[in-house]
Amino acid sequence: MSDGDLLFVEAPLVTCFDADNISSHCCPQCLRQLSDFKFRFASPESEELLHSMPDETLTQLKSELAAQFAPPLHITERHGFRFCSTSCADEACDAWLNVLLPFISTRDARLVNLLPSLFPGATSAQPDRERASTELLTLLIARNVNYPETWSRWVSRLAYAAYSPDQPLLDHEILQLDNLRSLFPSQLHLLSEENFKRMKSAVDLNAFSIETNQITISLGIEHAPPPVDDSPSPSGQLSVHVEVDDAAVSKGHALYRIGSFMNHSCEPNVGMVSPSFSSRAQWSLLKPARAGQELVNSYIALDDANQTRAERQHLLRLHYKFNCTCNRCVAE
């Protein structure tokens, strides 16, 4: 296969929002915005013209634009949660929602708000990745309640960052573990102190940061040239310009069935792209690969061609707790 070839597309196993995300506007399963569009008006005149449109015309405009940029939304409600599609609603119910529903007193898509006892001491200063690892682990254990054979094996095979088995848990981690044991009494075999450390480390190491975007529809008034005779001046026509926002409107973390098992290399042969409106991961080749060759991904951004080995190693030790021994690092 050659570079640029699409290898596979996969939906995330579990996702969670970053702390500052407006979760009520997003699908709690895939993080997609529940409204793909926002309007920007070039003038008060263009805003007035939009509001004067018949509902059928505006609906048709949105549908035509959506077909070009994003799959259609099919808002589905389950247990007070709003999902972007029936498939996301079914997946969430099967994976975690039905298990956690008895403990949920509000309808918020973030576990940090749903189950605050799981996140003792969680503050705005706490890193998103720390929150995310606890939240994703909780969702995986909830999934394991329904599929104990499959998911306990899946989690046990994940690589994990180095940790000291003899190092005691921090106070907030002790509370987290106690709360998880209370929440999942059938999963106590997974929730020994050592296994908790290893699972949380594995989730932290293998979670991906993801972002989703919105379409911006810029509306202006396009005036026809003035008439050359005494005929009436033509009225303005709506001018439509469509673009995808550069700034992400939804940010979070996700674990994947296949992507989360890839090893790191500073010379990756695959790269992941998340479509603008979904956390589904598209994996493509960055260079030609032969059958049987390992697929490796970079855990850090390699945008700067002048980045030194020491700089890369510093980032990997800081965020992932390991020293890289890939061919590039060995050669430099």
Side-chain angles (χ1 to χ4, degrees):
M1 298 183 72
S2 59
D3 58 314
D5 285 353
L6 178 65
L7 291 173
F8 60 91
V9 178
E10 63 172 338
L13 278 173
V14 287
T15 61
C16 68
F17 295 101
D18 280 359
D20 58 352
N21 204 66
I22 305 175
S23 58
S24 60
H25 297 165
C26 307
C27 174
Q29 180 63 18
C30 73
L31 309 191
R32 180 178 176 180
Q33 284 284 302
L34 296 180
S35 173
D36 282 334
F37 299 95
K38 67 178 181 179
F39 290 100
R40 182 166 57 220
F41 302 104
S43 67
E45 188 182 7
S46 62
E47 185 172 4
E48 290 173 8
L49 185 55
L50 175 72
H51 292 319
S52 68
M53 275 187 182
D55 289 343
E56 308 81 47
T57 305
L58 185 57
T59 300
Q60 182 179 357
L61 172 64
K62 287 185 175 182
S63 298
E64 290 173 355
L65 294 172
Q68 299 176 44
F69 290 92
L73 282 163
H74 299 289
I75 305 298
T76 303
E77 187 167 326
R78 298 281 175 83
H79 306 299
F81 291 88
R82 297 176 73 235
F83 297 89
C84 71
S85 64
T86 303
S87 60
C88 266
D90 291 343
E91 176 71 11
C93 288
D94 187 51
W96 57 270
L97 184 53
N98 286 342
V99 175
L100 296 177
L101 195 60
F103 306 95
I104 295 172
S105 58
T106 61
R107 296 298 179 257
D108 187 309
R110 288 188 301 241
L111 284 182
V112 70
N113 294 333
L114 288 173
L115 303 165
S117 64
L118 282 173
F119 303 90
T123 65
S124 57
Q126 191 174 6
D128 272 324
R129 193 134 191 128
E130 163 68 19
R131 291 186 178 199
S133 62
T134 303
E135 190 162 339
L136 292 171
L137 177 58
T138 304
L139 294 172
L140 284 174
I141 296 172
R143 193 163 196 142
N144 199 64
V145 171
N146 289 333
Y147 304 99
E149 293 291 328
T150 303
W151 298 113
S152 59
R153 284 203 304 268
W154 185 87
V155 174
S156 68
R157 286 163 45 210
L158 281 174
Y160 54 90
Y163 68 91
S164 172
D166 299 327
Q167 183 176 349
L169 294 174
L170 301 175
D171 289 345
H172 75 276
E173 291 176 323
I174 293 173
L175 288 172
Q176 287 173 353
L177 179 56
D178 287 343
N179 290 327
L180 284 171
R181 287 169 173 169
S182 299
L183 191 62
F184 303 113
S186 66
Q187 304 299 302
L188 295 181
H189 59 290
L190 290 179
L191 294 171
S192 66
E193 183 173 316
E194 182 175 348
N195 207 35
F196 172 74
K197 290 179 184 178
R198 193 192 67 77
M199 288 193 300
K200 195 170 179 182
S201 171
V203 169
D204 188 45
L205 177 65
N206 295 284
F208 286 84
S209 296
I210 54 175
E211 298 179 346
T212 60
N213 304 74
Q214 272 183 315
I215 296 173
T216 295
I217 304 176
S218 182
L219 299 172
I221 299 294
E222 195 172 76
H223 292 282
V228 294
D229 50 24
D230 294 332
S231 58
S233 297
S235 59
Q237 297 294 315
L238 193 65
S239 168
V240 179
H241 176 69
V242 182
E243 60 188 34
V244 176
D245 267 7
D246 291 333
V249 292
S250 173
K251 298 182 181 181
H253 293 79
L255 284 168
Y256 295 90
R257 285 181 178 86
I258 301 174
S260 291
F261 280 103
M262 289 187 188
N263 285 323
H264 165 82
S265 172
C266 297
E267 284 186 313
N269 55 12
V270 296
M272 184 189 84
V273 175
S274 292
S276 295
F277 307 99
S278 170
S279 54
R280 296 176 68 88
Q282 295 182 350
W283 291 93
S284 301
L285 280 176
L286 300 177
K287 57 181 67 174
R290 62 184 183 278
Q293 183 176 351
E294 182 185 8
L295 300 178
V296 287
N297 172 47
S298 176
Y299 293 0
I300 58 175
L302 298 174
D303 302 329
D304 185 357
N306 297 319
Q307 195 176 43
T308 66
R309 177 182 180 276
E311 289 171 335
R312 299 196 307 272
Q313 295 284 4
H314 169 73
L315 290 173
L316 290 166
R317 282 193 299 269
L318 178 65
H319 296 292
Y320 298 102
K321 310 294 191 297
F322 71 86
N323 294 315
C324 181
T325 57
C326 71
N327 292 338
R328 180 181 175 184
C329 286
V330 170
E332 288 182 1

Short mmCIF file of all heavy atoms in Angstrom, two decimals, residues 171-208:
data_model
loop_
_atom_site.label_atom_id
_atom_site.label_comp_id
_atom_site.label_asym_id
_atom_site.label_seq_id
_atom_site.Cartn_x
_atom_site.Cartn_y
_atom_site.Cartn_z
N ASP A 171 -4.44 10.86 48.01
CA ASP A 171 -5.71 10.87 48.74
C ASP A 171 -6.91 10.85 47.80
O ASP A 171 -7.88 10.11 48.03
CB ASP A 171 -5.78 12.11 49.65
CG ASP A 171 -4.83 12.03 50.83
OD1 ASP A 171 -4.35 10.91 51.11
OD2 ASP A 171 -4.58 13.06 51.47
N HIS A 172 -6.87 11.67 46.73
CA HIS A 172 -8.02 11.70 45.84
C HIS A 172 -8.15 10.39 45.06
O HIS A 172 -9.25 9.97 44.68
CB HIS A 172 -7.94 12.90 44.88
CG HIS A 172 -6.94 12.77 43.78
ND1 HIS A 172 -5.60 13.08 43.94
CD2 HIS A 172 -7.08 12.37 42.49
CE1 HIS A 172 -4.97 12.86 42.81
NE2 HIS A 172 -5.83 12.43 41.91
N GLU A 173 -7.02 9.69 44.81
CA GLU A 173 -7.09 8.40 44.12
C GLU A 173 -7.69 7.32 45.02
O GLU A 173 -8.42 6.44 44.54
CB GLU A 173 -5.69 7.99 43.65
CG GLU A 173 -5.14 8.86 42.55
CD GLU A 173 -3.72 8.51 42.18
OE1 GLU A 173 -2.92 8.17 43.09
OE2 GLU A 173 -3.38 8.57 40.98
N ILE A 174 -7.40 7.39 46.30
CA ILE A 174 -8.01 6.44 47.25
C ILE A 174 -9.52 6.60 47.24
O ILE A 174 -10.28 5.62 47.21
CB ILE A 174 -7.44 6.67 48.66
CG1 ILE A 174 -5.95 6.29 48.71
CG2 ILE A 174 -8.23 5.85 49.70
CD1 ILE A 174 -5.28 6.64 50.02
N LEU A 175 -9.98 7.86 47.24
CA LEU A 175 -11.42 8.11 47.21
C LEU A 175 -12.03 7.64 45.89
O LEU A 175 -13.13 7.07 45.87
CB LEU A 175 -11.69 9.60 47.41
CG LEU A 175 -11.46 10.14 48.83
CD1 LEU A 175 -11.58 11.65 48.85
CD2 LEU A 175 -12.45 9.52 49.81
N GLN A 176 -11.31 7.86 44.80
CA GLN A 176 -11.81 7.40 43.50
C GLN A 176 -11.97 5.88 43.49
O GLN A 176 -13.00 5.35 43.03
CB GLN A 176 -10.86 7.83 42.39
CG GLN A 176 -10.92 9.31 42.06
CD GLN A 176 -9.84 9.72 41.08
OE1 GLN A 176 -8.96 8.93 40.74
NE2 GLN A 176 -9.89 10.96 40.63
N LEU A 177 -10.97 5.18 43.98
CA LEU A 177 -11.02 3.72 44.00
C LEU A 177 -12.15 3.23 44.89
O LEU A 177 -12.91 2.31 44.52
CB LEU A 177 -9.67 3.16 44.46
CG LEU A 177 -9.57 1.64 44.56
CD1 LEU A 177 -9.93 0.98 43.23
CD2 LEU A 177 -8.17 1.24 45.00
N ASP A 178 -12.31 3.82 46.07
CA ASP A 178 -13.41 3.43 46.97
C ASP A 178 -14.76 3.66 46.31
O ASP A 178 -15.68 2.82 46.43
CB ASP A 178 -13.33 4.21 48.28
CG ASP A 178 -12.17 3.76 49.16
OD1 ASP A 178 -11.64 2.65 48.92
OD2 ASP A 178 -11.80 4.52 50.09
N ASN A 179 -14.91 4.79 45.60
CA ASN A 179 -16.17 5.08 44.94
C ASN A 179 -16.44 4.14 43.78
O ASN A 179 -17.58 3.75 43.54
CB ASN A 179 -16.19 6.54 44.46
CG ASN A 179 -16.27 7.53 45.60
OD1 ASN A 179 -16.89 7.25 46.62
ND2 ASN A 179 -15.63 8.67 45.45
N LEU A 180 -15.40 3.76 43.05
CA LEU A 180 -15.57 2.80 41.96
C LEU A 180 -16.01 1.44 42.52
O LEU A 180 -16.85 0.75 41.93
CB LEU A 180 -14.28 2.66 41.16
CG LEU A 180 -13.95 3.79 40.20
CD1 LEU A 180 -12.54 3.63 39.63
CD2 LEU A 180 -14.96 3.86 39.06
N ARG A 181 -15.44 1.05 43.64
CA ARG A 181 -15.83 -0.23 44.26
C ARG A 181 -17.29 -0.19 44.70
O ARG A 181 -18.01 -1.20 44.59
CB ARG A 181 -14.91 -0.53 45.44
CG ARG A 181 -13.50 -0.96 45.04
CD ARG A 181 -12.57 -0.96 46.24
NE ARG A 181 -11.25 -1.53 45.91
CZ ARG A 181 -10.20 -1.46 46.72
NH1 ARG A 181 -10.29 -0.83 47.90
NH2 ARG A 181 -9.05 -2.00 46.35
N SER A 182 -17.73 0.95 45.19
CA SER A 182 -19.13 1.08 45.60
C SER A 182 -20.06 1.08 44.39
O SER A 182 -21.15 0.53 44.43
CB SER A 182 -19.33 2.38 46.39
OG SER A 182 -18.55 2.39 47.57
N LEU A 183 -19.59 1.70 43.31
CA LEU A 183 -20.40 1.81 42.10
C LEU A 183 -20.50 0.47 41.37
O LEU A 183 -21.56 0.14 40.82
CB LEU A 183 -19.78 2.86 41.17
CG LEU A 183 -20.59 3.32 39.97
CD1 LEU A 183 -21.88 3.99 40.41
CD2 LEU A 183 -19.75 4.28 39.13
N PHE A 184 -19.43 -0.31 41.39
CA PHE A 184 -19.39 -1.57 40.63
C PHE A 184 -19.03 -2.74 41.55
O PHE A 184 -17.92 -3.30 41.46
CB PHE A 184 -18.35 -1.47 39.50
CG PHE A 184 -18.58 -0.34 38.54
CD1 PHE A 184 -17.70 0.73 38.48
CD2 PHE A 184 -19.67 -0.35 37.68
CE1 PHE A 184 -17.90 1.76 37.59
CE2 PHE A 184 -19.89 0.69 36.79
CZ PHE A 184 -19.01 1.75 36.75
N PRO A 185 -19.91 -3.15 42.44
CA PRO A 185 -19.58 -4.25 43.36
C PRO A 185 -19.30 -5.57 42.64
O PRO A 185 -18.58 -6.43 43.17
CB PRO A 185 -20.83 -4.36 44.24
CG PRO A 185 -21.91 -3.69 43.47
CD PRO A 185 -21.25 -2.61 42.68
N SER A 186 -19.83 -5.73 41.42
CA SER A 186 -19.58 -6.97 40.68
C SER A 186 -18.21 -6.99 40.02
O SER A 186 -17.80 -8.00 39.45
CB SER A 186 -20.65 -7.18 39.61
OG SER A 186 -20.57 -6.16 38.61
N GLN A 187 -17.48 -5.87 40.08
CA GLN A 187 -16.19 -5.76 39.39
C GLN A 187 -15.02 -5.64 40.37
O GLN A 187 -13.95 -5.14 39.99
CB GLN A 187 -16.20 -4.54 38.46
CG GLN A 187 -17.33 -4.53 37.45
CD GLN A 187 -17.27 -5.71 36.51
OE1 GLN A 187 -16.28 -5.91 35.81
NE2 GLN A 187 -18.34 -6.51 36.48
N LEU A 188 -15.21 -6.11 41.59
CA LEU A 188 -14.15 -5.95 42.60
C LEU A 188 -12.87 -6.67 42.19
O LEU A 188 -11.76 -6.28 42.60
CB LEU A 188 -14.64 -6.46 43.96
CG LEU A 188 -15.79 -5.67 44.60
CD1 LEU A 188 -16.16 -6.26 45.95
CD2 LEU A 188 -15.43 -4.20 44.73
N HIS A 189 -13.00 -7.73 41.38
CA HIS A 189 -11.80 -8.46 40.94
C HIS A 189 -10.92 -7.58 40.05
O HIS A 189 -9.72 -7.83 39.91
CB HIS A 189 -12.20 -9.72 40.18
CG HIS A 189 -13.05 -9.46 38.97
ND1 HIS A 189 -14.36 -9.02 39.06
CD2 HIS A 189 -12.76 -9.55 37.63
CE1 HIS A 189 -14.85 -8.87 37.83
NE2 HIS A 189 -13.91 -9.18 36.96
N LEU A 190 -11.49 -6.54 39.44
CA LEU A 190 -10.71 -5.61 38.62
C LEU A 190 -10.16 -4.45 39.42
O LEU A 190 -9.29 -3.73 38.95
CB LEU A 190 -11.58 -5.03 37.49
CG LEU A 190 -12.01 -5.94 36.35
CD1 LEU A 190 -12.88 -5.15 35.38
CD2 LEU A 190 -10.80 -6.52 35.63
N LEU A 191 -10.67 -4.26 40.64
CA LEU A 191 -10.41 -3.02 41.36
C LEU A 191 -9.53 -3.21 42.59
O LEU A 191 -9.76 -2.61 43.62
CB LEU A 191 -11.74 -2.37 41.74
CG LEU A 191 -12.57 -1.89 40.53
CD1 LEU A 191 -13.97 -1.46 40.96
CD2 LEU A 191 -11.85 -0.76 39.80
N SER A 192 -8.51 -4.03 42.43
CA SER A 192 -7.46 -4.03 43.45
C SER A 192 -6.66 -2.75 43.29
O SER A 192 -6.71 -2.09 42.24
CB SER A 192 -6.54 -5.24 43.27
OG SER A 192 -5.82 -5.12 42.06
N GLU A 193 -5.91 -2.39 44.31
CA GLU A 193 -5.15 -1.14 44.24
C GLU A 193 -4.14 -1.17 43.10
O GLU A 193 -4.01 -0.20 42.34
CB GLU A 193 -4.44 -0.89 45.58
CG GLU A 193 -3.68 0.43 45.62
CD GLU A 193 -3.12 0.73 47.01
OE1 GLU A 193 -3.86 0.55 48.00
OE2 GLU A 193 -1.95 1.15 47.08
N GLU A 194 -3.43 -2.29 42.96
CA GLU A 194 -2.42 -2.38 41.90
C GLU A 194 -3.07 -2.35 40.51
O GLU A 194 -2.57 -1.70 39.60
CB GLU A 194 -1.59 -3.66 42.05
CG GLU A 194 -0.49 -3.78 41.01
CD GLU A 194 0.42 -4.98 41.23
OE1 GLU A 194 0.34 -5.59 42.31
OE2 GLU A 194 1.19 -5.29 40.32
N ASN A 195 -4.19 -3.05 40.36
CA ASN A 195 -4.85 -3.07 39.07
C ASN A 195 -5.44 -1.70 38.72
O ASN A 195 -5.44 -1.29 37.56
CB ASN A 195 -5.97 -4.13 39.06
CG ASN A 195 -6.23 -4.66 37.67
OD1 ASN A 195 -5.31 -4.79 36.87
ND2 ASN A 195 -7.48 -4.98 37.38
N PHE A 196 -5.92 -0.99 39.73
CA PHE A 196 -6.42 0.36 39.51
C PHE A 196 -5.32 1.26 38.97
O PHE A 196 -5.51 2.02 38.02
CB PHE A 196 -6.98 0.91 40.82
CG PHE A 196 -7.36 2.37 40.77
CD1 PHE A 196 -8.51 2.78 40.11
CD2 PHE A 196 -6.58 3.34 41.39
CE1 PHE A 196 -8.87 4.12 40.06
CE2 PHE A 196 -6.93 4.67 41.36
CZ PHE A 196 -8.08 5.07 40.69
N LYS A 197 -4.12 1.18 39.56
CA LYS A 197 -2.98 1.96 39.09
C LYS A 197 -2.67 1.63 37.63
O LYS A 197 -2.46 2.50 36.80
CB LYS A 197 -1.74 1.70 39.94
CG LYS A 197 -1.79 2.24 41.35
CD LYS A 197 -0.48 1.87 42.04
CE LYS A 197 -0.46 2.30 43.50
NZ LYS A 197 0.80 1.89 44.16
N ARG A 198 -2.62 0.32 37.34
CA ARG A 198 -2.24 -0.11 36.00
C ARG A 198 -3.29 0.30 34.97
O ARG A 198 -2.97 0.80 33.89
CB ARG A 198 -2.05 -1.63 35.97
CG ARG A 198 -1.34 -2.10 34.70
CD ARG A 198 -1.41 -3.59 34.54
NE ARG A 198 -2.77 -4.05 34.30
CZ ARG A 198 -3.41 -3.93 33.12
NH1 ARG A 198 -2.79 -3.36 32.10
NH2 ARG A 198 -4.63 -4.36 32.98
N MET A 199 -4.58 0.11 35.30
CA MET A 199 -5.64 0.45 34.35
C MET A 199 -5.69 1.95 34.10
O MET A 199 -5.85 2.40 32.97
CB MET A 199 -6.99 -0.06 34.86
CG MET A 199 -7.16 -1.56 34.79
SD MET A 199 -8.88 -2.08 35.05
CE MET A 199 -9.21 -1.44 36.68
N LYS A 200 -5.57 2.73 35.17
CA LYS A 200 -5.61 4.18 34.99
C LYS A 200 -4.42 4.66 34.16
O LYS A 200 -4.55 5.54 33.31
CB LYS A 200 -5.64 4.87 36.35
CG LYS A 200 -6.04 6.33 36.27
CD LYS A 200 -6.30 6.94 37.64
CE LYS A 200 -6.68 8.40 37.52
NZ LYS A 200 -6.89 9.02 38.83
N SER A 201 -3.26 4.05 34.40
CA SER A 201 -2.08 4.39 33.62
C SER A 201 -2.27 4.00 32.16
O SER A 201 -1.89 4.74 31.25
CB SER A 201 -0.86 3.67 34.21
OG SER A 201 0.26 3.81 33.38
N ALA A 202 -2.87 2.83 31.92
CA ALA A 202 -3.09 2.37 30.55
C ALA A 202 -4.05 3.29 29.81
O ALA A 202 -3.83 3.64 28.64
CB ALA A 202 -3.63 0.94 30.57
N VAL A 203 -5.11 3.69 30.48
CA VAL A 203 -6.07 4.60 29.86
C VAL A 203 -5.42 5.93 29.56
O VAL A 203 -5.60 6.51 28.48
CB VAL A 203 -7.31 4.77 30.77
CG1 VAL A 203 -8.20 5.91 30.28
CG2 VAL A 203 -8.11 3.47 30.83
N ASP A 204 -4.65 6.44 30.50
CA ASP A 204 -3.99 7.73 30.33
C ASP A 204 -3.02 7.69 29.14
O ASP A 204 -2.93 8.64 28.36
CB ASP A 204 -3.26 8.12 31.61
CG ASP A 204 -2.72 9.53 31.56
OD1 ASP A 204 -3.46 10.43 31.13
OD2 ASP A 204 -1.56 9.75 31.95
N LEU A 205 -2.31 6.59 29.00
CA LEU A 205 -1.31 6.46 27.94
C LEU A 205 -1.96 6.35 26.56
O LEU A 205 -1.43 6.86 25.57
CB LEU A 205 -0.43 5.24 28.19
CG LEU A 205 0.63 4.92 27.13
CD1 LEU A 205 1.66 6.03 27.05
CD2 LEU A 205 1.31 3.60 27.43
N ASN A 206 -3.11 5.69 26.48
CA ASN A 206 -3.66 5.31 25.17
C ASN A 206 -4.85 6.14 24.72
O ASN A 206 -5.41 5.88 23.65
CB ASN A 206 -4.06 3.84 25.21
CG ASN A 206 -2.86 2.92 25.38
OD1 ASN A 206 -2.11 2.69 24.45
ND2 ASN A 206 -2.66 2.42 26.59
N ALA A 207 -5.26 7.13 25.52
CA ALA A 207 -6.38 7.98 25.12
C ALA A 207 -5.92 9.03 24.10
O ALA A 207 -4.80 9.55 24.19
CB ALA A 207 -6.99 8.66 26.34
N PHE A 208 -6.77 9.34 23.16
CA PHE A 208 -6.49 10.34 22.14
C PHE A 208 -7.26 11.62 22.46
O PHE A 208 -8.42 11.57 22.88
CB PHE A 208 -6.94 9.85 20.76
CG PHE A 208 -6.04 8.81 20.17
CD1 PHE A 208 -6.20 7.48 20.49
CD2 PHE A 208 -5.04 9.16 19.28
CE1 PHE A 208 -5.38 6.50 19.96
CE2 PHE A 208 -4.21 8.20 18.73
CZ PHE A 208 -4.38 6.86 19.07
#
